[in-house]
Amino acid sequence: MISLGPCRVSRPLYLRAKIAPAAAHTISLREHLAWDPVEDKTLPLVLLTLHPGFAAGSYEDRDYFELISPLLFAMCREICRLRIYTVNHPGYDLSPKSNIHRFRLDPYSIDGQPASLQMALRWLLGREFGDEDQIYLVAYGHSMGGLALAQCNLQELATDVSRRGPYLQVQKVLSAPALVLSQEAKKIMGRLDVLDALKRSLGRLPLYDQVATGLYRALAPILFRLSAKTYSLNADDTFLNFGKQNPFLLLEQGRELLRLAPNREQLEGLLQGSHLILCDGDKMVDTSQLRRAAEIANETGVPVSVHTINSSHNAEREAPQLVAERLHQIIVDMLGV
């Protein structure tokens, strides 16, 4: 019998990465655990890596992608051995003893996320699945995770891994990638500069850290509910836990996202060779600009497969069945079954 019980995620596995001289960070990986795992070695191995967006990821026994993994395990059990991992960004899902200093945030910049992502993929492929003959890798990035994944050359990774170990086939899926924010998002996130100015002027005062963190955790749920209607987000989503987030990290990353301004050619290059999932109710990213970039890329001979889902920005939580169906079809096409 196939169980569609709630998602189970493993304890975090911490990887230590050095991205620049004297600047190191830790990232966590969590495996999604099937209730009835497929052990048939005659079936191909599909590795699905999930790369979450801004203020999302894993913590304790929760995961942003927890609604789609049970569906995919059930859909794919006759065609493959499916393994699913969430790869959290630096600064997310850290141990309780970890400390992020509000004035030393360079190791957690979104500029370093692509390198961290690729390090995690290489580790998984080499250490966890190095004894396999062939692996089908589907990398799925949502929002900020899609931004990081879009900058990764998976074909280069496949060539390198296949030269040393298992033959690797890859597929990149970008879900509402935060390559271009909407005007509504820019307007609201523009207020982050005011908060940054306050941090720089008052941040070295005694107890500032505790006071600012306390205010964030008290006010963030209220502000989220106020803006949720603007973005058609589910304000009652039980996944949200503002007590598990670092406000200084979110402040810095939000300001970085706000300043992204890729031109048309850059957008086309970032989308090439991917499956692009767009949500017709998304008010967080500029879907029309992403769609146009994909159309131009296809006209110039660079394949971008566009899928539209009836949802707002967080389709993985608002329309998990539709997302799982798209991913299942991508896996079926990749395996040729």
Side-chain angles (χ1 to χ4, degrees):
M1 179 180 294
I2 298 175
S3 173
L4 286 179
C7 168
R8 298 183 300 155
V9 289
S10 71
R11 295 176 63 84
L13 170 67
Y14 295 118
L15 299 182
R16 185 76 168 166
K18 193 169 185 179
I19 58 175
H25 62 247
T26 300
I27 61 174
S28 87
L29 286 72
R30 290 185 186 249
E31 184 175 6
H32 295 240
L33 306 173
W35 288 97
D36 186 16
V38 176
E39 305 290 352
D40 186 353
K41 290 286 188 177
T42 65
L43 292 175
L45 173 67
V46 174
L47 173 60
L48 172 62
T49 58
L50 303 170
H51 309 277
F54 179 72
S58 310
Y59 60 84
E60 295 173 352
D61 61 343
R62 301 301 302 272
D63 188 274
Y64 174 79
F65 299 101
E66 64 193 1
L67 301 179
I68 65 173
S69 52
L71 297 170
L72 281 167
F73 281 132
M75 292 177 181
C76 294
R77 63 180 297 104
E78 300 298 329
I79 61 172
C80 67
R81 290 174 287 141
L82 179 63
R83 300 286 294 273
I84 304 176
Y85 288 81
T86 291
V87 179
N88 288 292
H89 296 294
Y92 289 67
D93 192 30
L94 297 181
S95 67
K97 296 180 180 179
S98 300
N99 181 38
I100 298 177
H101 195 282
R102 58 191 177 279
F103 286 114
R104 293 195 287 269
L105 293 165
D106 286 350
Y108 310 104
S109 168
I110 61 174
D111 289 339
Q113 289 176 359
S116 300
L117 187 159
Q118 292 188 90
M119 179 202 71
L121 292 180
R122 287 182 181 277
W123 186 90
L124 275 174
L125 293 164
R127 293 290 296 275
E128 294 293 286
F129 302 104
D131 59 348
E132 293 284 338
D133 294 327
Q134 182 170 8
I135 302 173
Y136 297 86
L137 169 66
V138 180
Y140 180 101
H142 170 253
S143 196
M144 186 174 73
L147 169 65
L149 181 59
Q151 299 173 73
C152 295
N153 189 332
L154 294 188
Q155 292 300 331
E156 184 179 275
L157 173 68
T159 300
D160 188 39
V161 170
S162 298
R163 187 183 300 121
R164 304 179 186 185
Y167 178 66
L168 179 66
Q169 290 185 244
V170 295
Q171 184 62 68
K172 182 185 297 186
V173 186
L174 307 177
S175 171
L179 302 172
V180 187
L181 295 184
S182 69
Q183 290 303 313
E184 295 98 322
K186 288 181 179 180
K187 183 178 179 180
I188 289 180
M189 294 180 72
R191 303 168 188 168
L192 296 177
D193 285 338
V194 177
L195 296 177
D196 183 67
L198 285 173
K199 185 191 79 170
R200 295 186 182 281
S201 61
L202 304 175
R204 300 193 185 279
L205 294 176
L207 301 180
Y208 173 83
D209 194 337
Q210 297 92 316
V211 171
T213 301
L215 285 174
Y216 164 77
R217 291 174 177 171
L219 297 177
I222 299 172
L223 296 176
F224 176 78
R225 286 183 175 276
L226 290 175
S227 61
K229 186 175 182 181
T230 300
Y231 299 114
S232 301
L233 301 177
N234 179 10
D236 298 318
D237 192 340
T238 60
F239 168 75
L240 296 169
N241 187 333
F242 295 98
K244 297 296 181 180
Q245 300 169 350
N246 184 289
F248 305 110
L249 174 66
L250 298 185
L251 171 62
E252 194 66 22
Q253 290 180 342
R255 295 177 66 244
E256 286 185 85
L257 289 171
L258 187 62
R259 282 156 177 73
L260 289 175
N263 59 36
R264 192 188 70 183
E265 290 183 357
Q266 289 171 326
L267 275 180
E268 293 170 29
L270 289 169
L271 296 177
Q272 65 181 4
S274 68
H275 286 268
L276 176 63
I277 295 179
L278 299 176
C279 303
D280 56 13
D282 195 338
K283 297 181 182 179
M284 192 72 70
V285 300
D286 191 333
T287 55
S288 61
Q289 194 168 342
L290 290 173
R291 190 183 299 277
R292 181 56 182 157
E295 291 172 353
I296 294 173
N298 282 322
E299 290 171 1
T300 57
V302 181
V304 180
S305 300
V306 181
H307 312 261
T308 302
I309 287 181
N310 181 19
S311 173
S312 68
H313 185 64
N314 295 330
E316 296 77 14
R317 301 200 61 81
E318 297 177 21
Q321 181 72 33
L322 296 179
V323 173
E325 289 171 359
R326 296 297 189 282
L327 274 171
H328 174 253
Q329 188 59 54
I330 288 169
I331 291 171
V332 166
D333 294 343
M334 194 177 189
L335 296 176
V337 297

